[in-house]
Amino acid sequence: MVENLASGFRLGLSLVARDLYFTISRLCFRIMNREARKGELRAMDLSVWSEENVEYMFEEIKKKLRMATGGSIKASNVKQEVYEDLKDLYDMVISKDRFSISEIDAITSELGNIRKA
């Protein structure tokens, strides 16, 4: 009797978990559709300079490196002449999973050079 009760309880939990998963999936799908209709979700062409692209790359680099501050790095500070350097740095940072301390130091130094250029 106890075994039947336990197996019924496990089955009930798995059904609840499945229902919760599908509910969350439907909610995410609705939110994505709503955002797409607003035009907020669109593919970015990072090969072309724009302040939006520069801001996006800086934010992604900061997230990847877990940089606490980056307030001095602004999209308006980056000129079109050094955009390709930023794009190369972004591609390298995004492609790696882990960074040594010296790599992080070199990356932040390069970000400073890009900002000052």
Side-chain angles (χ1 to χ4, degrees), residues 41-60:
L41 293 178
R42 60 184 182 275
M44 295 183 81
D45 181 10
L46 295 178
S47 65
V48 180
W49 181 91
S50 74
E51 282 197 17
E52 181 182 355
N53 287 349
V54 171
E55 193 69 38
Y56 173 79
M57 286 191 282
F58 275 138
E59 289 302 314
E60 292 301 308

Side-chain angles (χ1 to χ4, degrees), residues 27-107:
L27 274 172
C28 290
F29 182 73
R30 287 180 188 161
I31 290 169
M32 287 175 52
N33 280 338
R34 182 178 46 206
E35 296 300 314
R37 281 193 301 272
K38 286 182 190 177
E40 293 179 6
L41 293 178
R42 60 184 182 275
M44 295 183 81
D45 181 10
L46 295 178
S47 65
V48 180
W49 181 91
S50 74
E51 282 197 17
E52 181 182 355
N53 287 349
V54 171
E55 193 69 38
Y56 173 79
M57 286 191 282
F58 275 138
E59 289 302 314
E60 292 301 308
I61 290 171
K62 288 191 308 189
K63 275 195 261 183
K64 190 80 172 198
L65 297 179
R66 295 182 185 100
M67 293 171 67
T69 60
S72 63
I73 301 172
K74 295 185 176 120
S76 58
N77 295 346
V78 177
K79 296 179 176 68
Q80 288 182 339
E81 297 82 40
V82 294
Y83 182 76
E84 190 173 319
D85 296 336
L86 175 62
K87 174 74 169 77
D88 292 340
L89 185 65
Y90 167 80
D91 289 337
M92 188 272 298
V93 168
I94 295 304
S95 70
K96 292 189 69 158
D97 290 331
R98 298 179 196 172
F99 300 93
S100 68
I101 293 172
S102 59
E103 286 175 320
I104 291 174
D105 187 43
I107 292 166

Side-chain angles (χ1 to χ4, degrees), residues 2-44:
V2 172
E3 290 176 14
N4 289 338
L5 186 59
S7 67
F9 181 70
R10 273 185 256 132
L11 178 63
L13 280 180
S14 66
L15 292 175
V16 168
R18 186 197 68 197
D19 290 343
L20 184 60
Y21 170 78
F22 286 121
T23 301
I24 291 171
S25 296
R26 280 193 304 266
L27 274 172
C28 290
F29 182 73
R30 287 180 188 161
I31 290 169
M32 287 175 52
N33 280 338
R34 182 178 46 206
E35 296 300 314
R37 281 193 301 272
K38 286 182 190 177
E40 293 179 6
L41 293 178
R42 60 184 182 275
M44 295 183 81

